[in-house]
Amino acid sequence: MQLLSVSLYDRIQMRSWTFDKILIANRGEIACRVIKTCKKMGIKTVAVHSDVDSSAVHVKMADEAVCVGPAPTNKSYLNMDAIMNAIKQTGAQAVHPGYGFLSENKEFAKRLAAEGVSFIGPDTHAIQAMGDKIESKLIAKAAKVNTIPGYDGVVKDAEEAVKIAGEIGYPVMIKASAGGGGKGMRIAWNDEETREGFRFSSQEAASSFGDDRLLIEKFIDNPRHIEIQVLADKHGNALWLNERECSIQRRNQKVVEEAPSTFLDPDTRRAMGEQAVSLAKAVKYSSAGTVEFLVDSKKNFYFLEMNTRLQVEHPITECITGLDLVQQMIRIAMGYKLQHKQSDIPINGWAIESRVYAEDPYKSFGLPSIGRLSQYQEPLDLHNVRVDSGIEEGSDISIYYDPMISKLVTYGKTREEALKKMEEALDNYVIRGVTHNIPLLREIIVHPRFVSGDISTKFLPEVYPDGFKGHMLTAGERRELLATAAALYVAAQLRSQKFLGDLRVSVVPAESRQWELCVELDKGLHMLGVSRSGNNYTVEIDGEKVEVSGEWNLASALLPLTINGKHRTLQCLLRTAAGEITLQYLGTSFKLRVLSKLAASLSKHMPEKVPEDTSSILRSPMPGSVVAVSVKPGDNVAEGQEICVIEAMKMQNSMTAAKAAKVKSVHCKAGDTVGEGDLLVELE
Amino acid sequence: MATYTVGQIPYAGALTRSKVLQNARCYSVSHLSVQERIEQKRKAALTGGGQLRIAAQHKRGKLTARERLELLLDPDSFVEYDMFVEHRCSDFGMEADHNKYPGDSVVTGQGRINGRLVYVFSQDFTVFGGSLSGAHAQKICKIMDQAMMVGAPVIGLNDSGGARIQEGVESLAGYADIFLRNVMASGVVPQISLIMGPCAGGAVYSPALTDFTFMVKDTSYLFITGPDVVKSVTNEDVTQEELGGAKTHTTVSGVAHRAFENDIDALLNLRNFFNFLPLSNKDPAPVTECHDPRDRLVPGLDTIVPFESTKAYDMLDIVHGVLDEREFFEIMPNYAKNIVVGFARMNGRTVGIVGNQPKVASGCLDINSSVKGARFVRFCDAFNIPIITFVDVPGFLPGTAQEYGGIIRHGAKLLYAFAEATVPKITVITRKAYGGAYDVMSSKHLRGDVNYAWPSAEVAVMGAKGAVQIIFRGKENQAEAEAEYVEKFANPFPAAVRGFVDDIIQPSTTRKRICRDLEVLASKKQTNPWKKHANIPL
C-alpha cells in the first residue's frame, strides 16, 4: 500500500496533543490504511484479528495485536466483549472502526463511551438517527434536503399503499424501514403490483429483520449514484469535500468510482454539498461521513441515506482534495476544530478507483472465488497510482471475509489521464492463484459510454445484457495477440537450446531464423511465419506483418512489449511444453496453442476427447473420518469453498467445491468414517 | 548407415539421382539395378506397412513410428540406422517377398533434442503389429550399445503387439538381449520409455527396467497378460483400460511415471523432460540459461505453514515458489501423493525435488511413497542431480495393512537411497520431522550437506500428545506436561544446538540460500566404499 504523496498536503501538527494509542477494530485494507496514518502521526497502533488472520498484513503493520476469536466474524471482528478486552489489555485510548463490522453500531459506540474510550466517528445520536431509514428521511426533510417524494410514515396496509402510490405517482418503491441489501424491497408500476409488493415486502421484512414496517417512495428510474463527502467537528463546523460518482455497480455494490463526477455542474455540486452539510449539522454530526444521493437525468437529486463512517471509496476524495480523511477523523475525535474553510477545498485533477475483487466476473458480474495468492505484485512502480490493500503474496482469500483484494486508485490532471493510467495499472497488476475481476474493470474503463460519462446504476446490465464475456478482440488486436504468442513461443524454444558450462558432447542447435507456426485461438487456426533478429520478431499473419519486440524475460510475470510501435504490457499466465500459452491481454486472459507446422498438421489424427466432468462430484481423497459438513442440500457454494472436513492421521483436511454451484445431495455426516473414493457430496 | 530426412516421401534428392542413373542404364545394367533397388528399399522402408496400415494407425488416434520421431527430434537431425535390415524368418510363409519390409518393425537411429544427442528406437505398428523379431531386437541392441559407448540417453517409443510368434525362441532371445542391455545401461545413460500403443507380455519388462515410463492416455496399454487370459485364468472381467491403461498405471500400480493426453502432447513433453537430464553418468546435471533471479525472495513462504500443527497446506506451493519460474516436472503426480518428487531447476541447474505432502494423508511415509521416493532419489544420485528435500513428516503410517505389506522393508528403501547418495543433498525442514521418518528424510545423519530448519520446524521423536502419554503415563497434569514438551521440542532448537540442522532460516530466503549452496556444492566429491554392488532391501 502506498499513499499518494503528490496529493496529500495534509501536514501533521506534531506539537499538538494526540492519542498515544489507537485500536483498529477492523481487518484487511482499511485496517492497514488507518495504521498508515497513525504511524505518520506518531500514534501507536493495536490490531485485532481472528485466528486465521494471525499473520495478516494489518497484524504485522500494527505495533501490537490481539486475537479476538475464531474466523467467523460474529465470533471475532463483531465480538464486542473480546474487542473491549483488547482495549483494556492494551490501554488504547481510542478506536477506529474502519467500515463495516462495528463502524455503525451504536451499541459499540455506547460501550466505548462508558469506558471513556474515544470512538473515532460520530456520536451515538448521529449513528442512530441516520441508521433508521424513516427517521433519517424525516430529519433530512426538516433540514431542507431534497428527499424522494414519498410517504413519511409507516404504511398500514395494502390499500393505504395503493392510495399513497397514487398520490406520489408511479413507479414507486416499497421498502422495509429496517432494511438493507435489497431485502424487503419491491418496485411497483401499478395498483396491482403495489398490493402484491406490499404483501411480499412485509413478509420478507418480518423474516429478515423481525420488523415488518414498510415505507413507500417514488422510484427513480435509471438514476446515478453520487455521494458527497462531509467532514464535521464537535464545534458545529462542517465542510463538504465534493462528490464521488459511484454509479457503476453490480448487485448494489460499487465497482468503479471516480471523483469528481462528469455529470455535476458547479451549481448542482454546491447545492448538493450545502444540503449535505445542513444535514450533518442537523444531526450534530462530527467526523467524516457520506451523504448519498440519487441523481436523475435532469440533475434532480434526492437524499438516499447517510453513511456515518469512512467509506470504502474515500481515497479518491483524498486524491482530489489533498486531505487525509483518517487524520481528519482522528483530529476531530480529539476535539480539534476543522483546519479548513469551505473555500480551501479544491478539486485538483481527477481520481478513479477500481475495486479489485477475488471473484469471477464471467458469472453474474462477479461470484466470489477464494484461494492463495501464489504470486502478487501491485503496480506501484507506476507514477500516480495508489493501491490500498491488506494482503500480500502468500495471503489466503478465505470465505470468511470480503473477497476484496485491493482498491486500485489512479490519479491524473484530467480524467483522460487518470483513465489511461488505470489501463496501465490494471495491465501491470499481477494476481495469481485466485480468479479476479480485472477483465471486467479493464473493459468498463475503456467502454465508450463510460469514457463519455454516460452512465447510471444500470450501466452493467445495460452494456452487458447477456452477462460479461470478456474483451472482444478486433481483427488488429487478434493479430497482436497471435503474434505475441508466436514470438513468445520462439523465444522459449531458443532458450531451451542454450546450455551453459563445459559439455562433453557438443550441442548442435537447430539452425533456424524462420519458423512456420500454427496458432490456435478460440478454435480458429492461424498459420504464421515468424522471423527474428535479436529481440525483434516479425510475424506474418494473413499477409499482414506485426512487429513485436521486448526483453523476453521468461521468468517475469509481466511481458512489457512494443507491438507495431505501441507499448503494451501483457502477462503470461501459462506456458507449457505442449505449446499451450495463456496470455492476459487488455485485461482478459486468452488461451492459445502454438504448434510447429508439422505438429499442427499431425494434430488432425489425435483423438477428440470429451473431458470428464468431475467438478460436480466430491469424493474422499483418503480414508478418514468426517469431522464436519459445512453444507446442506440446496446451499449455494462458491468455487473453493469448504464443503466438509475429513480427519486422517489427526490432521484435518478441508474438502472444497471445484466450482460454484448449488449442493444437490450430501452423502456423509459428521462422525462418519469414509474410505478413499467414497462419495461425499454432489453438486448440481 | 545413411543420413535421411524422415517423412519426406518421395525423397526428392534420391529421385533426381535415380533419373540421372536411368539415363546411364545402357552402360551398366547391374550397377543401375542396385541403385534402383536401394531407392526402392528406402522408399519401402519409409512407408512401413503401407498406406492402408498407416491410415488404420491414424484412425486409432496414433501417429506412425516415423512421424513420432519427427516430432520428438530436432528438424533434420535424425540419422537412421539399419534401414535395410529384414527379418530372417522362413517359416509360415514369412519368407515371401511381400512379407519382407526393409527396416522390419522398428525405426532406429540417433538424433538431437534441443541440440543434445539422443539414441532412439520407435516401434512400427504398421509392420506386423510392431512385433519383435530377432532383427527388430538386433536393431534396438545396436543403438543401445552405441549409446552406452558414446554416453547418450536412449529413448524407446513402444508400440508393439508383442513377440513375433512366427520366429518363436528367436524373438524371446531378442527380448532377453534388450533386457540385458537395459540392465547394463542402467545408471550409465538415462533410459526413457514412452508407451504409445500396446506393450504386453515379456515386452513390458524393458520399460520396467528403464528409468522412466511414460504413457499416452487411452491409446496405450501395459500388461503381463491381456483381459482374455485374465478371464480364463482368474475369471475376472476387466477391460484393457482398467487392466493396464494409463490411468491404472499412473494412479494404482505405480508402473508408469506420467501420462499424457495424446501422441503429440507426449512427445512435446518428452522433449521438455529431456532437457532436465544429463547425457550420462559422466556428465554433470545440465545448466540452462535462467531468467529468474537466484537471490529472489519468496515472501509468500513466510506465512505458508499454518500455526496449528494439525492443519494441512500444499507442499507444492513451497516447491513452486522456490524453483526457477515455478516450473516443476512432477514424477508420478497421481500415485502415492503423500510424497512429491520431480525435476526442476535452481538458477538454471537441474535439481531433484523430494517433499512430504501434508495435504495428502498428512504427508506420512507409507509403502508406496517410500518406494516412489527411493527410486527417484537413486536416479538423481546415479546421474549427478542434486537432491533438495522438503520435510514435513509426522512419521511412518501405522496399521496392519502397512505392517503386513512390509513397510519395514519398503521404508528401508528410502532410508537406503538417501544414505547412499553422494550427490549434493540440501534439506529444508518446514514443520514436522518426527521419529524415524526424520532420520530417513535426508537428515544430517545420512550425510546431508546442508540442512535447514524453518522457524516452524519441530524435530522430535513424536508429537507432544503421544510423547506425554508415554513419559507421564498415569500422571495427572497431562496438559501441563504437554505444554512443557511443546516448549522443549516443538521448535527447531533441540536439533540446531546439536548441529543437526546447520541454520534456522527465514522461509522467504529459502531460494536464495539453496541457489548459493548448489553453487558451492557443485564441486562436491564423495565416494562410497568399493563394492561389487550394494544390496538395497528390494
Side-chain angles (χ1 to χ4, degrees):
Chain A
M1 193 174 97
Q2 174 187 291
L3 291 178
L4 265 186
S5 50
V6 283
S7 63
L8 289 179
Y9 64 72
D10 233 5
R11 287 220 310 281
I12 314 293
Q13 297 179 327
M14 299 301 290
R15 281 161 297 151
S16 51
W17 178 83
T18 178
F19 295 116
D20 291 329
K21 197 187 268 186
I22 290 178
L23 180 141
I24 297 98
N26 215 305
R27 67 179 298 283
E29 67 90 11
I30 194 60
C32 296
R33 161 72 191 89
V34 174
I35 294 171
K36 282 236 153 171
T37 289
C38 291
K39 280 189 192 275
K40 202 171 69 168
M41 296 175 75
I43 301 170
K44 290 196 195 73
T45 51
V46 181
V48 293
H49 63 90
S50 65
D51 55 8
V52 294
D53 269 347
S54 44
S55 56
V57 179
H58 76 278
V59 174
K60 286 188 217 165
M61 279 177 72
D63 298 309
E64 289 172 73
V66 181
C67 181
V68 288
T73 52
N74 59 353
K75 290 184 178 148
S76 50
Y77 295 103
L78 291 172
N79 183 344
M80 276 190 236
D81 292 338
I83 291 172
M84 293 309 296
N85 278 338
I87 294 166
K88 265 189 217 138
Q89 190 187 321
T90 57
Q93 297 155 322
V95 171
H96 195 297
Y99 53 74
F101 294 136
L102 298 170
S103 62
E104 291 170 287
N105 186 310
K106 54 180 193 275
E107 187 60 32
F108 183 56
K110 258 186 216 155
R111 284 184 69 170
L112 289 176
E115 296 283 337
V117 177
S118 301
F119 177 75
I120 303 175
D123 62 24
T124 45
H125 163 72
I127 297 176
Q128 177 159 7
M130 293 296 105
D132 186 284
K133 284 217 164 75
I134 292 177
E135 196 184 341
S136 69
K137 206 173 161 186
L138 289 173
I139 295 170
K141 218 169 176 182
K144 301 209 160 49
V145 176
N146 300 356
T147 53
I148 298 173
Y151 184 59
D152 294 334
V154 174
V155 184
K156 283 200 284 293
D157 55 34
E159 286 319 307
E160 191 187 0
V162 170
K163 191 174 135 255
I164 298 165
E167 285 163 15
I168 302 169
Y170 285 108
V172 297
M173 176 140 69
I174 303 158
K175 58 182 188 182
S177 174
K183 281 215 175 75
M185 212 181 258
R186 283 285 185 292
I187 294 157
W189 296 78
N190 54 45
D191 292 356
E192 192 46 45
E193 284 179 17
T194 306
R195 283 189 197 97
E196 201 174 283
F198 183 89
R199 205 169 61 241
F200 280 124
S201 289
S202 62
Q203 280 165 8
E204 224 169 88
S207 66
S208 299
F209 316 112
D211 176 353
D212 64 357
R213 290 178 305 147
L214 297 181
L215 51 157
I216 291 189
E217 63 188 25
K218 185 163 179 67
F219 173 63
I220 313 289
D221 202 16
N222 247 6
R224 284 172 179 258
H225 178 120
I226 299 176
E227 61 192 25
I228 299 285
Q229 175 71 53
V230 295
L231 201 57
D233 63 19
K234 294 182 173 172
H235 307 280
N237 306 306
L239 290 171
W240 48 275
L241 307 183
N242 300 311
E243 78 280 11
R244 289 185 292 258
E245 162 76 75
C246 311
S247 296
I248 307 294
Q249 304 185 349
R250 51 124 176 79
R251 299 193 304 275
N252 290 324
Q253 262 190 305
K254 297 161 191 168
V255 185
V256 175
E257 300 109 335
E258 62 183 305
S261 165
T262 55
F263 192 59
L264 297 193
D265 51 59
D267 289 344
T268 316
R269 177 174 297 125
R270 191 179 322 110
M272 287 172 77
E274 280 167 0
Q275 289 194 8
V277 161
S278 101
L279 176 63
K281 284 182 174 164
V283 287
K284 297 200 170 59
Y285 197 85
S286 68
S287 194
T290 297
V291 181
E292 298 190 339
F293 291 97
L294 287 182
V295 183
D296 72 13
S297 52
K298 296 180 192 75
K299 293 193 180 138
N300 297 313
F301 57 91
Y302 306 98
F303 169 72
L304 197 60
E305 61 180 359
M306 181 169 188
N307 294 319
T308 56
R309 56 171 154 83
L310 188 64
Q311 294 274 95
V312 176
E313 59 274 22
H314 74 273
I316 51 177
T317 297
E318 296 186 327
C319 283
I320 61 160
T321 60
L323 292 177
D324 178 335
L325 288 178
V326 173
Q327 186 187 332
Q328 295 302 324
M329 289 174 81
I330 294 171
R331 282 190 78 254
I332 291 165
M334 289 189 304
Y336 286 104
K337 281 188 183 166
L338 291 177
Q339 286 169 301
H340 305 90
K341 293 194 291 291
Q342 188 62 49
S343 56
D344 295 341
I345 306 302
I347 299 184
N348 284 330
W350 215 285
I352 316 268
E353 176 180 278
S354 292
R355 294 198 191 182
V356 182
Y357 277 101
E359 56 184 26
D360 183 350
Y362 297 94
K363 293 173 187 155
S364 320
F365 301 114
L367 286 186
S369 83
I370 55 175
R372 181 174 183 271
L373 290 166
S374 56
Q375 276 177 289
Y376 183 74
Q377 202 177 303
E378 293 171 353
L380 291 176
D381 46 350
L382 298 178
H383 198 56
N384 280 347
V385 170
R386 164 175 169 173
V387 183
D388 282 23
S389 67
I391 44 101
E392 60 189 347
E393 188 167 303
S395 292
D396 265 315
I397 306 284
S398 74
I399 52 159
Y400 298 110
Y401 311 113
D402 187 64
M404 190 159 80
I405 296 173
S406 78
K407 303 183 305 204
L408 175 62
V409 179
T410 60
Y411 174 79
K413 281 197 207 71
T414 60
R415 184 167 188 260
E416 196 189 350
E417 209 179 289
L419 283 175
K420 262 276 158 276
K421 186 62 73 178
M422 183 60 81
E423 278 181 48
E424 205 185 332
L426 288 168
D427 285 342
N428 282 278
Y429 203 147
V430 178
I431 304 169
R432 304 276 195 279
V434 295
T435 312
H436 54 77
N437 67 338
I438 283 183
L440 177 64
L441 297 171
R442 183 70 171 68
E443 280 301 284
I444 291 172
I445 57 148
V446 298
H447 194 279
R449 269 190 62 183
F450 181 83
V451 171
S452 70
D454 173 22
I455 55 175
S456 76
T457 52
K458 298 214 175 105
F459 177 83
L460 287 177
E462 275 173 14
V463 169
Y464 307 106
D466 305 318
F468 179 65
K469 302 265 194 291
H471 180 75
M472 298 295 153
L473 293 170
T474 64
E477 289 167 351
R478 197 178 180 83
R479 277 196 295 275
E480 283 191 6
L481 181 61
L482 292 167
T484 303
L488 184 65
Y489 172 86
V490 173
Q493 290 283 310
L494 288 173
R495 188 182 64 158
S496 63
Q497 298 172 2
K498 282 188 195 156
F499 293 90
L500 313 175
D502 295 332
L503 301 165
R504 188 180 51 83
V505 181
S506 62
V507 170
V508 186
E511 294 228 349
S512 189
R513 295 192 163 279
Q514 290 275 339
W515 292 264
E516 281 187 277
L517 301 174
C518 177
V519 185
E520 189 181 335
L521 170 63
D522 298 334
K523 291 185 179 148
L525 293 177
H526 304 264
M527 294 306 301
L528 272 60
V530 183
S531 58
R532 166 181 167 259
S533 124
N535 278 338
N536 307 321
Y537 291 83
T538 305
V539 184
E540 203 172 316
I541 309 167
D542 308 325
E544 303 244 13
K545 278 193 176 152
V546 183
E547 306 279 344
V548 190
S549 59
E551 294 253 330
W552 305 108
N553 181 327
L554 298 169
S556 165
L558 296 172
L559 210 55
L561 298 172
T562 306
I563 307 177
N564 282 344
K566 258 181 305 182
H567 183 76
R568 294 261 198 217
T569 302
L570 282 81
Q571 296 188 28
C572 180
L573 308 180
L574 176 80
R575 181 166 51 79
T576 71
E580 289 153 306
I581 291 179
T582 303
L583 292 175
Q584 182 180 313
Y585 173 62
L586 303 172
T588 297
S589 66
F590 294 93
K591 282 184 183 168
L592 299 106
R593 184 157 194 214
V594 186
L595 288 175
S596 66
K597 195 181 170 192
L598 172 75
S601 72
L602 293 173
S603 284
K604 62 175 181 285
H605 303 304
M606 294 299 101
E608 226 17 91
K609 302 210 175 174
V610 189
E612 190 194 4
D613 184 21
T614 52
S615 59
S616 351
I617 291 171
L618 184 74
R619 292 180 185 280
S620 176
M622 71 210 127
S625 63
V626 180
V627 178
V629 181
S630 337
V631 296
K632 55 186 187 308
D635 284 2
N636 282 311
V637 290
E639 182 179 329
Q641 187 178 331
E642 179 178 289
I643 287 191
C644 60
V645 179
I646 307 275
E647 186 178 289
M649 270 197 89
K650 293 183 186 162
M651 289 272 294
Q652 303 210 335
N653 301 275
S654 170
M655 306 287 117
T656 56
K659 61 172 185 186
K662 192 180 246 184
V663 177
K664 190 174 165 194
S665 55
V666 176
H667 300 270
C668 60
K669 59 180 193 297
D672 281 2
T673 303
V674 290
E676 185 179 324
D678 283 4
L679 182 65
L680 301 173
V681 167
E682 277 181 275
L683 303 176
E684 275 181 5
Chain B
M1 210 192 296
T3 310
Y4 244 82
T5 312
V6 185
Q8 286 179 347
I9 308 170
Y11 180 55
L15 271 188
T16 348
R17 199 157 56 235
S18 90
K19 237 180 208 164
V20 174
L21 293 168
Q22 265 171 18
N23 294 339
R25 179 169 289 185
C26 47
Y27 302 108
S28 167
V29 173
S30 66
H31 175 69
L32 288 178
S33 72
V34 167
Q35 282 301 333
E36 269 182 353
R37 280 167 61 202
I38 292 170
E39 297 312 326
Q40 229 173 35
K41 293 263 184 199
R42 282 201 193 285
K43 207 175 153 187
L46 292 175
T47 39
Q51 291 306 333
L52 280 177
R53 291 209 179 90
I54 289 175
Q57 177 83 349
H58 284 159
K59 216 170 161 200
R60 283 185 209 105
K62 303 198 295 182
L63 299 178
T64 67
R66 285 176 189 279
E67 286 166 346
R68 287 167 175 168
L69 287 177
E70 225 181 330
L71 279 176
L72 176 65
L73 302 173
D74 293 347
D76 302 330
S77 73
F78 182 51
V79 178
E80 185 168 346
Y81 295 179
D82 290 339
M83 207 185 213
F84 297 101
V85 165
E86 292 175 359
H87 73 75
R88 299 174 293 269
C89 179
S90 54
D91 297 317
F92 312 110
M94 288 293 280
E95 68 281 16
D97 271 356
H98 68 268
N99 273 337
K100 297 235 168 156
Y101 294 85
D104 205 33
S105 50
V106 67
V107 183
T108 61
Q110 43 97 342
R112 302 270 166 171
I113 293 179
N114 288 316
R116 296 198 313 150
L117 184 63
V118 62
Y119 283 80
V120 290
F121 68 87
S122 177
Q123 294 179 317
D124 188 348
F125 195 78
T126 66
V127 177
F128 298 117
S131 63
L132 188 123
S133 63
H136 177 138
Q138 188 193 324
K139 282 180 75 173
I140 293 175
C141 291
K142 189 192 269 184
I143 60 126
M144 290 184 72
D145 289 341
Q146 205 177 82
M148 280 181 66
M149 285 191 291
V150 171
V154 178
I155 295 179
L157 307 181
N158 299 64
D159 188 1
S160 162
R164 183 81 52 86
I165 298 168
Q166 295 89 335
E167 291 195 8
V169 73
E170 175 103 24
S171 177
L172 297 184
Y175 277 124
D177 290 341
I178 297 170
F179 298 157
L180 176 68
R181 279 162 183 81
N182 283 140
V183 174
M184 290 300 109
S186 179
V188 179
V189 294
Q191 301 180 79
I192 305 163
S193 303
L194 174 55
I195 316 300
M196 308 186 81
C199 182
V204 298
Y205 284 109
S206 176
L209 290 167
T210 61
D211 298 303
F212 295 101
T213 302
F214 299 123
M215 294 181 80
V216 179
K217 288 180 192 169
D218 303 325
T219 49
S220 74
Y221 310 99
L222 271 167
F223 34 65
I224 296 284
T225 50
D228 297 341
V229 180
V230 169
K231 174 79 182 162
S232 67
V233 176
T234 68
N235 205 29
E236 283 173 287
D237 280 310
V238 65
T239 64
Q240 275 200 96
E241 185 62 39
E242 285 164 1
L243 186 62
K247 194 171 177 199
T248 302
H249 286 313
T250 52
T251 60
V252 183
S253 74
V255 165
H257 296 88
R258 242 177 113 156
F260 300 102
E261 284 310 312
N262 55 43
D263 280 15
I264 294 176
D265 191 42
L267 293 162
L268 294 177
N269 271 291
L270 191 47
R271 280 180 65 85
N272 178 44
F273 175 63
F274 189 77
N275 262 18
F276 287 106
L277 308 180
L279 293 187
S280 76
N281 60 0
K282 287 176 283 202
D283 300 293
V287 184
T288 55
E289 189 180 282
C290 172
H291 294 169
D292 204 351
R294 51 185 229 169
D295 56 355
R296 174 170 58 85
L297 293 179
V298 194
L301 299 189
D302 286 337
T303 52
I304 191 160
V305 175
F307 281 91
E308 308 95 284
S309 68
T310 51
K311 230 176 138 192
Y313 61 95
D314 191 348
M315 185 57 86
L316 283 174
D317 284 339
I318 295 179
V319 171
H320 286 146
V322 167
L323 302 177
D324 286 0
E325 298 175 24
R326 311 180 64 80
E327 191 190 351
F328 184 48
F329 190 96
E330 197 174 346
I331 297 293
M332 301 176 119
N334 295 312
Y335 177 79
K337 287 155 90 169
N338 40 347
I339 200 164
V340 170
V341 302
F343 296 99
R345 294 189 183 87
M346 295 287 282
N347 198 22
R349 187 190 312 271
T350 298
V351 292
I353 302 287
V354 180
N356 307 111
Q357 174 57 287
K359 227 177 79 172
V360 180
S362 309
C364 70
L365 288 176
D366 57 7
I367 293 172
N368 291 346
S369 62
S370 299
V371 174
K372 171 180 167 182
R375 182 148 174 83
F376 180 76
V377 167
R378 295 196 98 213
F379 176 84
C380 291
D381 187 44
F383 291 102
N384 314 316
I385 297 172
I387 300 162
I388 299 167
T389 309
F390 293 95
V391 184
D392 186 349
V393 63
F396 281 97
L397 181 64
T400 51
Q402 289 290 313
E403 294 291 358
Y404 296 174
I407 179 69
I408 298 174
R409 191 158 49 88
H410 296 293
K413 292 175 184 174
L414 185 57
L415 169 59
Y416 192 106
F418 271 124
E420 81 174 329
T422 55
V423 289
K425 290 188 282 192
I426 299 170
T427 306
V428 181
I429 302 174
T430 61
R431 188 167 63 180
K432 292 173 205 162
Y434 286 171
Y438 153 71
D439 285 340
V440 170
M441 293 303 295
S442 198
S443 63
K444 200 75 196 167
H445 324 288
L446 303 184
R447 304 190 292 183
D449 295 303
V450 185
N451 293 57
Y452 292 122
W454 282 6
S456 45
E458 308 169 13
V459 184
V461 175
M462 57 175 75
K465 205 167 212 142
V468 165
Q469 277 167 7
I470 294 167
I471 304 172
F472 302 98
R473 180 168 295 165
K475 297 230 174 87
E476 282 170 29
N477 288 338
Q478 294 264 324
E480 199 177 295
E482 197 179 319
E484 189 191 334
Y485 191 90
V486 166
E487 174 71 25
K488 271 210 169 107
F489 293 113
N491 59 62
F493 296 116
V497 296
R498 289 167 177 81
F500 297 160
V501 296
D502 300 298
D503 200 356
I504 303 170
I505 61 170
Q506 191 62 24
S508 53
T509 64
T510 306
R511 171 177 166 84
K512 192 170 134 182
R513 300 290 292 250
I514 294 176
C515 284
R516 203 162 61 186
D517 295 332
L518 284 171
E519 219 145 281
V520 171
L521 292 169
S523 60
K524 177 187 175 186
K525 287 268 180 304
Q526 188 171 41
T527 42
N528 291 333
W530 185 92
K531 48 186 105 179
K532 186 180 173 195
H533 65 70
N535 190 15
I536 189 166
L538 292 174

